[in-house]
Amino acid sequence: YLALAGDTLAFCSHNSTVSFVDLVGGGEPTVVRLSELPLTSLLFLPDGSMIGVGHCFDPLLFTRGPSGWSLAGKLTAKKSAAGKQTQGNFASARNMFQAQTAKGESAAAAASDKSVGSTHSNFVCGLQLFGSAIGPTAAEFTTSSLDGKVGFWTRDEITAAMSQMEIS
């Protein structure tokens, strides 16, 4: 799995490493070892950073600094409180009954299914640049996975994730 941008070639392998080769300057490749599962797709963004996806459910952001390439961290979508609604006891009981009859699962199993904590809940197999806007916000790239979801990632989300990574 290769990605090329300008004078930098990046490739990932099944041993959970990502290697960066400077085609102009030569020298030894920079190898970044991941504690995550292996990546399967790489994409250079217009700002010079790189995104990697694969068996990990969240995209990984790589940046180039003075000492070379490094893993900046995971990008996770912001949780919106607007989607949560308070339900009365009757509605809650009805939803629990519907989950048991329609899906054959208990309320606890249904709740644990939704608590993955990432945009995707399966292998991320698609990664594309997206040069358009979602409403007033420009999107940088999209991810798609085997769970059928498509994630749109904006520059604001990337910037917010980077600022949280620097604090941690």
Side-chain angles (χ1 to χ4, degrees):
Y1 309 104
L2 298 169
L4 179 66
D7 61 350
T8 303
L9 172 73
F11 56 94
C12 53
S13 55
H14 290 287
N15 63 353
S16 293
T17 61
V18 179
S19 300
F20 297 90
V21 179
D22 182 9
L23 298 175
V24 174
E28 292 293 316
T30 302
V31 178
V32 178
R33 298 196 184 282
L34 306 174
S35 61
E36 305 293 330
L37 292 170
L39 300 179
T40 58
S41 295
L42 302 173
L43 175 71
F44 280 99
L45 296 177
D47 69 352
S49 61
M50 190 186 78
I51 299 292
V53 297
H55 297 283
C56 176
F57 299 158
D58 293 312
L60 300 178
L61 176 67
F62 296 88
T63 57
R64 186 179 207 162
S67 60
W69 286 91
S70 63
L71 174 65
K74 284 185 183 181
L75 298 179
T76 55
K78 294 183 270 183
K79 306 270 189 255
S80 72
K84 290 190 175 184
Q85 299 177 4
T86 56
Q87 297 179 344
N89 289 337
F90 179 75
S92 164
R94 189 178 121 223
N95 289 342
M96 181 178 63
F97 177 74
Q98 283 179 334
Q100 288 175 337
T101 57
K103 298 179 185 173
E105 62 185 14
S106 67
S112 69
D113 243 5
K114 295 174 182 149
S115 64
V116 174
S118 66
T119 301
H120 300 290
S121 59
N122 207 325
F123 170 75
V124 180
C125 55
L127 180 62
Q128 286 289 43
L129 279 176
F130 189 79
S132 188
I134 306 166
T137 308
E140 293 291 324
F141 67 96
T142 62
T143 56
S144 59
S145 72
L146 294 179
D147 60 10
K149 296 178 184 171
V150 175
F152 291 87
W153 300 86
T154 64
R155 173 58 41 200
D156 295 339
E157 289 171 331
I158 296 170
T159 305
M162 289 179 68
S163 66
Q164 287 178 355
M165 292 172 206
E166 292 170 2
I167 295 172
S168 305

